[in-house]
Amino acid sequence: MKILTKSILLLIALFMLTGCPYQSAVPVGDPEQKLMKSLLGKWQKGEEDNNFYVVDKLGKYQYQIEESIFNNELQDFEKAYYQGHITEVKGEKFLSIINQTLDENAGQNYFSIYKLEINSDSEFVLFPVSNYIRENFDESTMLKEFIAQNMHLSFFFGEEETYRKISNP
């Protein structure tokens, strides 16, 4: 019980330090932009040696993302699965990602929204849309218009996350 309490407190502290991206009931847009082959492969975030993400093709317009986070206590990887797609807004790429691992009975599943900048075939940066945004949208067109009107504001994005490719598909 004591270990569980410490784990929960650690998770809460981690979320408070890193913040979460904006959660939306709808994606920025429909999956209509063809896949970028340079995004396919195995990636690491920053200097995280034990954790990695495998981005694979899921149809013509969507990505399947497998997150592998090493659990020191269990000495094994914990996996989560996501589905995502890219939508352009005023020449900028936005990634809408939904968690496929969540229990179907857990209620509403939300999209996490990120701005995507590709530095090279082996590096990209995600800028999470700030969780300080309180507006809610029922339609993707309304969310897309909101992003187009506000993405230039300094508070609109959280701290950037850099990913480096460690292997190709």
Side-chain angles (χ1 to χ4, degrees), residues 32-48:
E32 298 173 338
Q33 186 168 349
K34 288 188 179 181
L35 294 179
M36 300 176 66
K37 290 183 181 181
S38 63
L39 289 178
L40 304 179
K42 189 174 180 181
W43 299 85
Q44 278 186 323
K45 179 175 152 184
E47 302 299 321
E48 295 179 0

Side-chain angles (χ1 to χ4, degrees), residues 43-152:
W43 299 85
Q44 278 186 323
K45 179 175 152 184
E47 302 299 321
E48 295 179 0
D49 292 333
N50 291 333
N51 305 330
F52 60 90
Y53 303 81
V54 176
V55 180
D56 205 355
K57 179 179 166 178
L58 180 67
K60 190 174 181 180
Y61 304 108
Q62 295 180 305
Y63 301 91
Q64 176 70 44
I65 304 162
E66 177 184 302
E67 175 184 51
S68 297
I69 304 296
F70 191 75
N71 183 323
N72 286 324
E73 202 171 288
L74 299 174
Q75 289 296 300
D76 199 7
F77 286 97
E78 293 180 358
K79 304 226 182 236
Y81 299 92
Y82 304 88
Q83 181 177 323
H85 65 274
I86 296 173
T87 305
E88 262 195 46
V89 179
K90 287 189 157 183
E92 300 285 348
K93 292 175 178 29
F94 283 83
L95 182 61
S96 300
I97 298 176
I98 193 161
N99 189 334
Q100 295 178 307
T101 308
L102 294 178
D103 182 357
E104 290 178 8
N105 299 321
Q108 176 77 36
N109 196 357
Y110 291 94
F111 288 88
S112 297
I113 310 296
Y114 300 87
K115 183 173 96 168
L116 169 68
E117 286 185 6
I118 299 172
N119 295 339
S120 69
D121 284 348
S122 60
E123 183 179 279
F124 69 85
V125 180
L126 291 180
F127 297 86
V129 171
S130 175
N131 63 350
Y132 293 117
I133 295 169
R134 298 292 178 227
E135 286 81 353
N136 294 309
F137 302 93
D138 297 327
E139 297 176 15
S140 293
T141 54
M142 295 170 60
L143 173 59
K144 190 174 183 178
E145 286 175 19
F146 178 80
I147 290 172
Q149 292 172 357
N150 296 287
M151 66 184 185
H152 67 282

Side-chain angles (χ1 to χ4, degrees), residues 151-169:
M151 66 184 185
H152 67 282
L153 300 172
S154 61
F155 65 85
F156 199 73
F157 299 104
E159 193 170 324
E160 68 184 62
E161 304 167 355
T162 301
Y163 293 80
R164 290 178 180 75
K165 187 176 275 188
I166 53 178
S167 70
N168 287 312

